[in-house]
Amino acid sequence: MPELPDITVYIAALDKRIMGAQLTGIRRQSPFLLRSVTPPLASAVGKKVVALRRLGKRIAIGLDDDLWLVLHLMIAGRLHWSDEQGAKIPQGKNGLAAFDF
């Protein structure tokens, strides 16, 4: 499981890349990734990133209108960055979702 220093490094890297950026798309491979149905995931699209926080071992991405995306990386979880819009999501357990900014 990623440890707290890992989460802190992820947040610092995300801050440089997505703070103030607009979320233009979300693609998810597995229905089990989503833990909430209200509001719908699609309501996050078009919102601007206004905050990044660590919540325990979770990464919390704050969007406009007090909407939050919370990621838990689980065991050996990783984030992979690509500058290519609409980059293909890897198959299998290494590719659960993609967020386009």
Side-chain angles (χ1 to χ4, degrees):
M1 176 173 347
E3 298 300 324
L4 294 181
D6 298 339
I7 300 300
T8 302
V9 169
Y10 274 130
I11 289 174
L14 286 170
D15 184 67
K16 294 175 187 174
R17 290 177 168 99
I18 68 171
M19 184 59 76
Q22 182 181 32
L23 180 62
T24 59
I26 301 173
R27 296 168 285 128
R28 77 186 149 101
Q29 295 279 80
S30 170
F32 302 108
L33 183 65
L34 191 60
R35 299 292 184 209
S36 172
V37 294
T38 305
L41 188 58
S43 67
V45 175
K47 305 279 188 212
K48 186 171 90 172
V49 177
V50 295
L52 286 163
R53 295 188 185 146
R54 179 182 63 79
L55 182 63
K57 292 187 179 182
R58 293 170 180 85
I59 297 170
I61 303 171
L63 304 171
D64 287 328
D65 301 327
D66 201 30
L67 187 62
W68 289 85
L69 299 174
V70 180
L71 309 174
H72 190 294
L73 299 181
M74 305 301 283
I75 295 174
R78 292 178 182 83
L79 296 177
H80 298 273
W81 184 263
S82 174
D83 288 325
E84 178 187 343
Q85 277 294 81
K88 184 177 177 184
I89 302 173
Q91 295 298 311
K93 63 182 180 180
N94 290 330
L96 299 176
F99 301 88
D100 298 316
F101 294 92

